[in-house]
Amino acid sequence: MSEEKEPLNFIEQIIEDDLKTSHSKDTLCFRFPPEPNGYLHIGHASSISLNFGLGLRYNAPVNLRFDDTNPAKEEQRFVEAIKRDIEWLGFEWAQECYASDYFQQLYDWAIVLINNGKAYVDSQSSDAIAEQKGTPIKEGVNSPFRNRSVEVNLALFEQMKTGEAPEGLHVLRAKINMTSTNMLMRDPIIYRTLHKSHHRTGTDWKIFPMYDWTHGESDYIEQVSHSFCTLEFLPHRELYDWFLDEVVVSEKLRPKQREFARRNLSHTVVSKRKLARLVENGVVASWDDPRMPTISGLRRRGYTPASIRNFAEGIGVGKRDNLIDVSRLEFSIREDLNKVADRVMAVLDPVKVIITNFPEEKTEWLDAENNQEDENAGFRKLPFSRELYIEKEDFREEANKKFFRLKLGKEVRLKNAYIIKAESCVKDGDGNVTEIHCTYDPESRSGSGTDASMRKVKGTLHWVSIKDALEIEVRRYDRLFIDPSPDTHKDKDFMEFVNPNSLDIITGYGEPSLSELQVEDKVQFQRIGYFTVDKDSTLDKKVFNRTVGLRDSWTKIDQ
Ligand code: ATP
Ligand code: MG
């Protein structure tokens, strides 16, 4: 692979350095640790690409670890969706792991902490605990329960565990340092009680470990060598290490936490919690709504796994958070679909063309090339008849020289077919053109080899034969938010920036070959954009999602 030549990113540099000093190649192990409280989004694709990419590069295992310690938020359907998305992206995990599988081990270690005087049960209200925590410029205050005896702590922790103690009455805290400059080290909570059913452990456990206590110890249990997380966890590293100090035995590998920058995408939000609000409030229809920046939403929109992987690899890993313009993601899918999508014709805003010198009952079947970018894509048959649709905007009665489409008295080529000339048009009472009467040159058929077929005319239009056309539903999507960074406004909620016009549903007319397409098949509607067949399609009606236009229609507006 070409990777050898590319300069190492800082994460790879960390691993290379460790390979020279502390680690051997066969001890490398990585993990991707989603919380099953929503669907994966495009930000996760960066983390997936990083961790699974390292696995491939170093031929090391990568575990999929569900960080499932909060039964109030997590659900089995999210576990399924996350697995489906990672597989679809084309990555393979070594082991499917669950933090909940480690509840017993984590509990046993908590008992060790208590026995060693490193943890205590606090019975204050959460407000009191927060109050005593202090601020970055004000030292914290010790809890009045900090010096409970080991026996009392063990007894109370047991009551937490069995559910004898009411929910929320006690918490278990690590006894570290209430005056630490790192707020996270001020006796962090490691267990809380929740009397809720967990999607895997049911009601077996009434105590649930907190993130910091769970994550590093899970890494240790799985013998993950490098635990990569996003930058907001940098201050957690000290705590990660403190917890490991309490449990690591010398013969075993000690995991390392390192941080990289979160990737944000413009005109959307990448946080499961915020995406959940969009679903709950009906702004979008579902987690896989094609407007969502979720992997499932992008898939339904028509994105390919390669386009998402290329996008994530292209932006790479960084040390500073930044906002990636969504046009970069759109570029990535255009680039991929240009190579693989067959070209077909559909008219989305039709006006009728009548070829007055073409016989009324006749249908002529023309050969049309599927994809000029792909030699192996072959040809298909396309019906041509007396009555056709073209786009309304492709005709004007009069226009200046720069209008290369159809105008009265002038010629254009119909793609894959003949040269036609507009002779006259019919209008309704409001002056709208309802029919364009044209003549065609029977000698000018594309690819027929005649002189007339080689004749150069300025414009080429797409069209469909009306009697053969397939009526289709077309869903045109726009950005979900009108603001590039909707969740960064201090005094405004991101929901205020939702684009009210992010979905436009119209009826279009496609060439008959569209009836053969299956859900998720992708095509280019020539001169319009890339479209994919939606799962809402029925036997009677195909539904097409606009994946992306042929060009970036926003660049001009943004400038
Ligand atoms: P969210 O706010 O969407 O829930 P999270 O970080 O809480 O994000 P997790 O399910 O805990 O979600 O994330 C799994 C992994 O993906 C973590 O290692 C996290 O750091 C990483 N990750 C999440 N969002 C991004 C992002 N925008 N860019 C890069 N990595 C991300
Ligand atoms: Mg999280």
Side-chain angles (χ1 to χ4, degrees):
M1 291 221 341
S2 64
E3 276 163 341
E4 293 303 284
K5 284 169 227 136
E6 293 194 6
L8 298 179
N9 65 43
F10 79 98
I11 295 283
E12 290 159 352
Q13 195 58 60
I14 289 170
I15 295 172
E16 292 295 329
D17 290 347
D18 286 346
L19 284 176
K20 280 182 206 131
T21 53
S22 49
H23 290 64
S24 66
K25 256 201 167 140
D26 56 356
T27 61
L28 293 181
C29 178
F30 310 103
R31 93 286 172 259
F32 173 65
E35 184 183 358
N37 61 344
Y39 278 48
L40 296 180
H41 52 64
I42 188 70
H44 291 115
S46 282
S47 177
I48 290 171
S49 161
L50 168 69
N51 287 295
F52 285 93
L54 289 171
L56 290 171
R57 186 184 176 102
Y58 292 101
N59 194 21
V62 184
N63 292 345
L64 169 59
R65 160 138 29 93
F66 289 99
D67 219 333
D68 57 344
T69 56
N70 183 2
K73 293 271 167 61
E74 296 152 6
E75 295 179 37
Q76 186 58 31
R77 68 183 172 116
F78 294 137
V79 169
E80 305 303 334
I82 288 169
K83 284 164 57 178
R84 193 169 58 232
D85 286 345
I86 299 173
E87 280 175 342
W88 177 75
L89 282 172
F91 295 107
E92 267 177 63
W93 53 85
Q95 288 183 68
E96 181 178 328
C97 308
Y98 294 83
S100 55
D101 284 346
Y102 312 139
F103 282 172
Q104 182 64 43
Q105 173 68 78
L106 290 166
Y107 168 79
D108 292 344
W109 277 328
I111 297 291
V112 174
L113 287 186
I114 294 173
N115 278 321
N116 292 342
K118 297 278 181 82
Y120 62 97
V121 172
D122 198 340
S123 309
Q124 301 182 95
S125 68
S126 50
D127 286 347
I129 291 175
E131 172 69 31
Q132 286 166 2
K133 192 143 199 185
T135 69
I137 50 166
K138 188 172 152 235
E139 287 182 351
V141 176
N142 285 349
S143 161
F145 299 105
R146 201 172 197 261
N147 291 321
R148 274 175 163 161
S149 67
V150 169
E151 290 67 34
V152 170
N153 281 321
L154 287 175
L156 291 175
F157 192 44
E158 178 66 13
Q159 288 176 16
M160 286 171 68
K161 179 172 180 270
T162 58
E164 194 184 320
E167 185 178 278
L169 183 64
H170 310 296
V171 290
L172 185 71
R173 298 177 73 178
K175 198 185 221 177
I176 306 182
N177 178 4
M178 289 303 289
T179 64
S180 171
T181 50
N182 183 347
M183 299 279 292
L184 293 165
M185 300 299 282
R186 295 184 185 174
D187 291 10
I189 294 172
I190 54 181
Y191 271 101
R192 58 188 171 148
T193 49
L194 273 178
H195 295 183
K196 284 212 168 59
S197 178
H198 182 281
H199 63 101
R200 295 188 79 243
T201 61
T203 53
D204 291 356
W205 292 90
K206 312 261 181 315
I207 48 172
F208 290 91
M210 302 300 284
Y211 173 88
D212 287 302
W213 173 238
T214 312
H215 205 91
E217 318 319 274
S218 302
D219 287 338
Y220 178 60
I221 293 168
E222 291 170 25
Q223 289 286 281
V224 164
S225 60
H226 296 80
S227 179
F228 296 108
C229 57
T230 35
L231 275 180
E232 69 272 21
F233 289 99
L234 183 57
H236 294 246
R237 201 204 279 182
E238 191 180 354
L239 186 52
Y240 182 99
D241 285 329
W242 190 91
F243 283 139
L244 282 181
D245 285 341
E246 301 306 313
V247 304
V248 167
V249 293
S250 58
E251 320 81 78
K252 291 185 104 183
L253 177 139
R254 184 190 167 101
K256 257 178 141 169
Q257 174 187 306
R258 289 294 180 270
E259 307 79 18
F260 65 100
R262 191 167 271 272
R263 294 304 189 189
N264 299 309
L265 190 67
S266 80
H267 298 91
T268 193
V269 288
V270 281
S271 147
K272 285 185 254 129
R273 194 170 44 80
K274 290 173 191 158
L275 294 172
R277 274 181 68 196
L278 294 171
V279 178
E280 283 152 17
N281 292 319
V283 172
V284 295
S286 54
W287 281 93
D288 71 348
D289 186 299
R291 290 167 290 180
M292 290 282 268
T294 51
I295 304 299
S296 296
L298 291 166
R299 172 178 183 176
R300 198 169 156 194
R301 175 85 169 247
Y303 277 75
T304 56
S307 67
I308 295 174
R309 287 198 312 262
N310 291 341
F311 167 77
E313 272 167 37
I315 56 181
V317 288
K319 290 186 180 176
R320 274 213 251 138
D321 286 355
N322 66 350
L323 184 68
I324 310 288
D325 199 283
V326 67
S327 60
R328 193 156 174 175
L329 182 63
E330 292 171 349
F331 174 83
S332 181
I333 185 61
R334 248 186 233 115
E335 198 181 42
D336 198 32
L337 292 182
N338 180 43
K339 286 180 282 190
V340 300
D342 281 351
R343 274 59 171 163
V344 295
M345 293 199 282
V347 174
L348 302 188
D349 185 21
V351 61
K352 191 190 247 186
V353 166
I354 300 179
I355 314 283
T356 54
N357 59 340
F358 194 88
E360 245 168 72
E361 300 304 321
K362 184 173 168 185
T363 300
E364 188 179 342
W365 289 87
L366 307 171
D367 287 316
E369 190 177 9
N370 287 328
N371 186 355
Q372 71 276 13
E373 303 288 323
D374 177 0
E375 282 179 10
N376 302 318
F379 288 80
R380 69 186 183 286
K381 291 286 183 193
L382 193 62
F384 186 82
S385 66
R386 181 179 164 93
E387 297 196 353
L388 314 172
Y389 281 140
I390 64 167
E391 301 287 348
K392 269 192 193 128
E393 61 166 26
D394 282 340
F395 173 73
R396 286 196 205 154
E397 288 178 77
E398 286 173 51
N400 67 20
K401 285 207 169 81
K402 288 194 184 126
F403 187 76
F404 295 135
R405 310 180 210 174
L406 191 60
K407 55 190 165 187
L408 289 180
K410 299 288 181 198
E411 293 187 317
V412 289
R413 175 169 292 284
L414 293 180
K415 181 78 187 167
N416 299 309
Y418 297 98
I419 292 174
I420 60 168
K421 181 175 172 190
E423 309 285 359
S424 63
C425 63
V426 178
K427 291 191 232 173
D428 64 13
D430 300 324
N432 300 311
V433 174
T434 53
E435 282 177 12
I436 308 160
H437 292 198
C438 299
T439 50
Y440 86 116
D441 174 356
E443 293 299 307
S444 65
R445 181 163 54 83
S446 299
S448 65
T450 61
D451 286 352
S453 72
M454 311 284 197
R455 193 144 59 81
K456 285 264 181 290
V457 286
K458 280 266 163 61
T460 301
L461 305 185
H462 62 276
W463 54 276
V464 292
S465 159
I466 296 178
K467 67 181 161 83
D468 304 290
L470 193 71
E471 208 174 288
I472 55 175
E473 178 175 320
V474 177
R475 298 178 180 173
R476 296 190 289 196
Y477 303 100
D478 201 348
R479 294 171 177 182
L480 193 47
F481 291 91
I482 51 175
D483 188 272
S485 202
D487 52 355
T488 56
H489 296 265
K490 273 216 182 71
D491 36 289
K492 283 195 173 151
D493 186 56
F494 72 95
M495 295 287 269
E496 291 182 39
F497 298 99
V498 165
N499 178 1
N501 304 313
S502 59
L503 171 60
D504 170 35
I505 301 180
I506 57 169
T507 297
Y509 300 86
E511 57 169 87
S513 73
L514 300 191
S515 68
E516 286 154 35
L517 297 177
Q518 306 292 316
V519 174
E520 289 197 5
D521 277 353
K522 293 149 182 56
V523 287
Q524 184 195 89
F525 289 171
Q526 285 186 303
R527 299 181 61 232
I528 302 176
Y530 293 100
F531 291 77
T532 193
V533 181
D534 191 79
K535 64 179 181 188
D536 286 348
S537 297
T538 61
L539 281 178
D540 297 331
K541 185 167 259 181
K542 283 237 148 49
V543 177
F544 285 85
N545 294 320
R546 181 172 68 191
T547 310
V548 68
L550 286 185
R551 262 160 250 103
D552 184 357
S553 56
W554 279 84
T555 23
K556 266 196 212 123
I557 299 167
D558 284 348
Q559 274 159 8

